[in-house]
Amino acid sequence: MRRFVWMIVTVTLFGIAGLVAWAHLTHRVSYIVTNGVSMVPPYHSGDLVVVEKKDAYHIGDIVAYWNGHVTVLHRIIDGDPSGFVIKGDDNQSIDPLHPTGKDLLGRAVLHLPAGGIW
């Protein structure tokens, strides 16, 4: 019985490792450790957010993109795949860049409060 349990644990861990490797190699999944207060209240500094690349993005989605200096995690407030208007929930102004659907790293799918501290 003990050997069977270890076999199940081993197979599960290898399965998870394979899934993580696939996600990393295909760039389908990324993670962001938040910094700052532009997305308060849903996200606070030090939170870990996992984003997944999608075929389509919609108004209201929280998405990540690279602005040339840092990875930005903000909400789509307008636009279409040819150029989204994005803004932090706690910001007064919109982002100066209007990334296309192809420029987006992905949409937020998992949030671990204070998970980025680890």
Side-chain angles (χ1 to χ4, degrees), residues 92-114:
Q92 296 300 318
S93 59
I94 63 171
D95 294 1
L97 297 178
H98 300 286
T100 66
K102 291 182 180 183
D103 295 331
L104 298 177
L105 298 175
R107 178 178 62 86
V109 292
L110 179 65
H111 172 220
L112 297 172

Side-chain angles (χ1 to χ4, degrees), residues 32-45:
I32 295 100
V33 176
T34 57
N35 185 11
V37 296
S38 66
M39 281 304 289
V40 170
Y43 303 114
H44 294 81
S45 193

Side-chain angles (χ1 to χ4, degrees), residues 80-96:
D80 57 42
S82 64
F84 290 107
V85 179
I86 300 178
K87 176 180 157 314
D89 288 358
D90 199 34
N91 284 355
Q92 296 300 318
S93 59
I94 63 171
D95 294 1

Side-chain angles (χ1 to χ4, degrees), residues 34-78:
T34 57
N35 185 11
V37 296
S38 66
M39 281 304 289
V40 170
Y43 303 114
H44 294 81
S45 193
D47 288 356
L48 177 70
V49 180
V50 176
V51 296
E52 179 184 12
K53 190 95 169 143
K54 298 289 185 179
D55 294 328
Y57 299 95
H58 307 285
I59 293 173
D61 286 347
I62 297 174
V63 295
Y65 70 94
W66 178 252
N67 77 356
H69 303 287
V70 296
T71 301
V72 177
L73 184 71
H74 283 167
R75 188 179 306 275
I76 296 174
I77 61 168
D78 200 4

